[in-house]
Amino acid sequence: MNRTFKFLLLSLALVLGITGLNALAQPDETAAARIPVEMYLKAQATGDPELIRKAFHPEAKLFFNRDGKFSQLTRDEFAARFSGKPAPDEAQRKRTIDSLTVTGDVAVAKLTLDYPNAVLTDYLSLVKIDGEWKIVNKIFNARSKAAKP
């Protein structure tokens, strides 16, 4: 082997070794960050306000436009909207986690809530606080479905 080839092999091995050690030092947090997102979706399905309180940080804020007006809710104001029972049309509702991107101790999730009369797109910001992932912010867009003739 010539010197250049040996140098390239050694460099590649060094880079791969450092990358491997870095992966060990920084475990994938995606599964852990997904927990409060799934709690939020379960709250939507069951109407359980306690799941909202568990998934969202106490100081979390929700921002949205309704009827052309910018609005916001606290976590507790949002939780108060949950009746403790599933919606009457729950069997017709579909919810998906479209993406969940984790960078260190922060994450962003995009969700689609497809309901009989509307489609909502949620963007959730999450932060790992004291070893636990919490939703700290929610923004969403709601689009009415066209009435069927």
Side-chain angles (χ1 to χ4, degrees):
M1 275 194 235
N2 70 29
R3 273 184 137 179
T4 304
F5 185 70
K6 285 181 183 178
F7 176 76
L8 288 174
L9 279 178
L10 183 60
S11 297
L12 180 60
L14 183 60
V15 168
L16 290 174
I18 291 170
T19 303
L21 289 175
N22 192 27
L24 290 175
Q26 297 177 358
D28 183 14
E29 289 284 330
T30 304
R34 191 178 177 97
I35 292 169
V37 175
E38 290 177 348
M39 258 191 259
Y40 164 67
L41 290 178
K42 188 172 181 183
Q44 290 283 353
T46 64
D48 184 350
E50 275 311 302
L51 290 172
I52 293 298
R53 289 184 184 91
K54 288 178 184 177
F56 285 75
H57 186 275
E59 296 180 41
K61 298 279 191 230
L62 294 78
F63 299 97
F64 53 96
N65 288 317
R66 177 156 293 145
D67 299 324
K69 182 181 174 205
F70 179 72
S71 300
Q72 73 177 20
L73 295 172
T74 65
R75 176 197 71 173
D76 292 331
E77 289 170 333
F78 183 52
R81 294 178 172 214
F82 287 74
S83 68
K85 298 177 186 173
D89 61 0
E90 179 55 36
Q92 299 164 329
R93 296 177 174 215
K94 297 176 191 162
R95 299 173 188 88
T96 57
I97 300 172
D98 301 326
S99 64
L100 176 59
T101 304
V102 177
T103 305
D105 59 2
V106 298
V108 177
K110 179 183 177 189
L111 308 142
T112 299
L113 291 72
D114 188 353
Y115 295 168
N117 296 324
V119 175
L120 291 87
T121 301
D122 284 347
Y123 291 94
L124 306 175
S125 299
L126 299 98
V127 177
K128 187 175 182 182
I129 304 164
D130 297 326
E132 188 175 12
W133 286 94
K134 293 288 184 180
I135 300 167
V136 296
N137 176 255
K138 170 185 153 136
I139 59 173
F140 72 93
N141 175 264
R143 297 170 308 285
S144 293
K145 289 184 174 179
K148 295 180 183 178

